[in-house]
Amino acid sequence: MEDLIYQKKEKIRNINRVYWFISQNKFFTKKEISDSLGISFPTVTKIINLLAEKQIIIEKGYSENNTKRKAILYEYNPNSFYSIGIKLEVSSLSFILINLNGDEIKKTVIVKDFFNDENFVLYIIEELKSFLKGFQFKDLITGIGISVSGIVDNKNKILKIGTNFHLFEKDMKEIKNSFQLPIYLMNEANAGAIGEFFLNKTLNSQNIAFISIESGVGAGIVLDENLYKGHSSKAGEFGHFTVENNGRKCNCGNSGCLEMYCSNRALIKEFEEKFNLSNLSFVEIFSKGLADTEKGKEIFEKYTDYLALGIRNILFLLDLDKVIIGGLIANYNKYIEKSLKQKVFNNIFFKEENILEFSKYGDFSNLIGAAFLPFNDLFINLVTKMAK
Ligand SMILES: [Zn+2]
């Protein structure tokens, strides 16, 4: 049995490596792949045939270097498939259309309040229809990946617990029916962890927490290179770590949860209260210079106290080699990085400050991570075909 699993893993790894090679080199022959990856020629041929069948690669004549026997030259075709990513937040809805390479074809962000909005599914469908208007290759779209802040049941396509939305047990299958495309639901932080993997090509870590700070706070946890979801997909509910006994009341029923102090909403609220403002946006905290004032610095001091407490606890539990903070705050890391690192690495167990990083992609990684989900199935199909 273990042998079987290993073989499958080996096949996945080979397909991944070949795919990685072709997406980097654009033009290639089978021999070049075999030589540079050390994968046997018959295996490479098998993979290449499968990719060619799906039009992921196209024959482009013959290689000029090879004088003895002409070798077929192939070209990578990233526009063979497309995918849609959706990010549903309490205060916004984002769409992205990407090709197989992850290149952005189109993107849009709609600002809207979804709190308690029972009709959010219908709204998504209507907006997605207009987003796709004019796109010529709709039949090449493989599916729709959806990142939601909350607990999702992907099998039954249900948003189970959307604490921040105050939405529970909401069926999202209508999206699948409307577009006749498979849909994939994923918690926002987990989608962010996947996006980070794809975008951050230099990421060499095996054990990672991707901390997503949005209107809620969550953590996508990767252990031994596998996304860890837990018994009922509730792993990584980092935002509900208790950081203050008898603290602020949270929508989850507890008090003193981390996201009541560190989410974007909590931070905005704190600034509004201390500066006597209303309708402040997250970006305005910085663009209006509020973050640079003495009062602003005090707010961030408290913010990093709580965030550091949470990160320390994750490190003590999982001994990770990388913790990546994503979300809009990552774009303003200079306001918190130094003090956060001092507070996280103030103990004798964890000293390497480079464990902690800020995402280079701000609040984009979960959107693109969602868009990559349908491609995953495409590759699983290839592996299944290869095993036959
Ligand atoms: Zn809570």
Side-chain angles (χ1 to χ4, degrees):
M1 188 65 197
E2 261 191 16
D3 220 36
L4 243 166
I5 294 169
Y6 175 75
Q7 275 188 24
K8 201 176 165 195
K9 273 194 174 166
E10 190 67 25
K11 277 179 183 128
I12 294 174
R13 197 174 296 131
N14 282 340
I15 289 187
N16 273 338
R17 288 177 65 212
V18 170
Y19 181 71
W20 178 246
F21 182 90
I22 64 169
S23 65
Q24 295 297 301
N25 290 280
K26 206 156 188 281
F27 292 97
F28 44 85
T29 65
K30 285 188 267 191
K31 189 170 184 309
E32 280 168 4
I33 300 175
S34 174
D35 287 351
S36 47
L37 298 180
I39 300 174
S40 77
F41 195 76
T43 303
V44 170
T45 304
K46 212 169 176 183
I47 296 173
I48 286 298
N49 289 345
L50 284 170
L51 294 173
E53 204 179 291
K54 294 260 180 202
Q55 305 270 310
I56 293 171
I57 56 171
I58 303 168
E59 285 189 24
K60 271 281 157 184
Y62 293 95
S63 162
E64 284 170 12
N65 305 341
N66 200 320
T67 45
K68 282 181 209 155
R69 248 178 72 194
K70 280 186 175 178
I72 300 170
L73 186 71
Y74 293 93
E75 184 186 10
Y76 172 50
N77 174 25
N79 294 322
S80 47
F81 289 102
Y82 296 90
S83 168
I84 298 164
I86 300 180
K87 175 170 157 183
L88 179 65
E89 265 281 307
V90 183
S91 52
S92 66
L93 173 67
S94 315
F95 296 124
I96 194 168
L97 178 69
I98 61 167
N99 67 7
L100 199 52
N101 208 28
D103 302 327
E104 177 183 321
I105 312 295
K106 199 179 174 191
K107 191 178 92 174
T108 191
V109 181
I110 302 160
V111 177
K112 182 178 157 50
D113 187 4
F114 289 100
F115 187 78
N116 235 332
D117 186 348
E118 297 283 337
N119 297 317
F120 74 104
V121 173
L122 290 175
Y123 185 82
I124 291 175
I125 293 170
E126 286 314 307
E127 288 299 325
L128 184 56
K129 277 183 189 162
S130 57
F131 175 74
L132 291 174
K133 228 173 241 168
F135 179 62
Q136 292 175 15
F137 308 106
K138 289 197 186 79
D139 51 334
L140 296 178
I141 297 175
T142 50
I144 304 170
I146 309 173
S147 151
V148 199
S149 68
I151 312 283
V152 294
D153 170 359
N154 181 47
K155 201 169 158 225
N156 298 304
K157 312 302 172 197
I158 289 169
L159 168 59
K160 290 210 58 97
I161 308 172
T163 359
N164 298 315
F165 298 93
H166 211 260
L167 293 170
F168 306 93
E169 300 293 338
K170 291 289 168 257
D171 196 328
M172 296 178 75
K173 269 194 284 300
E174 204 40 46
I175 301 175
K176 170 181 147 193
N177 300 337
S178 286
F179 294 92
Q180 293 292 311
L181 284 171
I183 65 168
Y184 306 83
L185 300 185
M186 190 171 256
N187 160 276
E188 179 172 81
N190 289 344
I194 289 180
E196 200 67 33
F197 250 122
F198 279 105
L199 292 167
N200 194 346
K201 302 202 160 117
T202 54
L203 195 64
N204 264 327
S205 311
Q206 299 198 315
N207 302 297
I208 305 167
F210 175 80
I211 297 177
S212 160
I213 303 182
E214 304 261 356
S215 38
V217 179
I221 294 165
V222 176
L223 297 177
D224 294 330
E225 294 187 331
N226 288 305
L227 195 61
Y228 179 76
K229 291 188 185 169
H231 163 64
S232 53
S233 297
K234 296 192 191 86
E237 279 301 321
F238 179 67
H240 300 280
F241 274 23
T242 306
V243 291
E244 191 73 74
N245 241 347
N246 305 315
R248 294 177 191 161
K249 195 104 192 81
C250 175
N251 283 330
C252 79
N254 269 334
S255 296
C257 295
L258 184 132
E259 72 176 32
M260 300 316 292
Y261 303 89
C262 295
S263 68
N264 290 352
R265 285 198 299 175
L267 195 62
I268 291 169
K269 217 172 137 210
E270 197 69 26
F271 270 91
E272 283 182 340
E273 276 172 18
K274 292 276 156 42
F275 287 87
N276 237 327
L277 294 164
S278 57
N279 292 322
L280 190 69
S281 75
F282 186 83
V283 175
E284 283 169 345
I285 292 175
F286 307 93
S287 66
K288 290 191 167 180
L290 308 179
D292 299 297
T293 61
E294 274 314 304
K295 260 197 284 185
K297 282 175 190 156
E298 276 168 34
I299 294 173
F300 277 113
E301 212 46 60
K302 265 170 70 186
Y303 177 91
T304 53
D305 279 346
Y306 289 119
L307 191 55
L309 180 71
I311 295 172
R312 273 202 313 266
N313 284 339
I314 291 197
L315 281 178
F316 278 114
L317 185 68
L318 298 172
D319 185 14
L320 303 161
D321 45 304
K322 198 60 85 185
V323 174
I324 302 169
I325 297 178
L328 278 178
I329 191 72
N331 297 341
Y332 302 96
N333 62 330
K334 68 168 186 175
Y335 291 92
I336 60 169
E337 182 162 5
K338 199 171 164 231
S339 93
L340 187 64
K341 283 189 168 171
Q342 273 170 2
K343 291 167 188 174
V344 170
F345 303 102
N346 60 356
N347 55 82
I348 59 163
F349 294 97
F350 297 101
K351 292 244 163 265
E352 300 159 65
E353 290 200 357
N354 58 4
I355 290 176
L356 187 65
E357 258 181 33
F358 288 85
S359 171
K360 293 191 278 293
Y361 313 100
D363 64 342
F364 181 64
S365 17
N366 27 31
L367 178 60
I368 198 135
F372 268 110
L373 297 176
F375 290 149
N376 192 43
D377 262 17
L378 190 75
F379 281 92
I380 287 173
N381 284 339
L382 288 178
V383 174
T384 319
K385 275 195 168 181
M386 232 187 117
K388 277 179 188 164

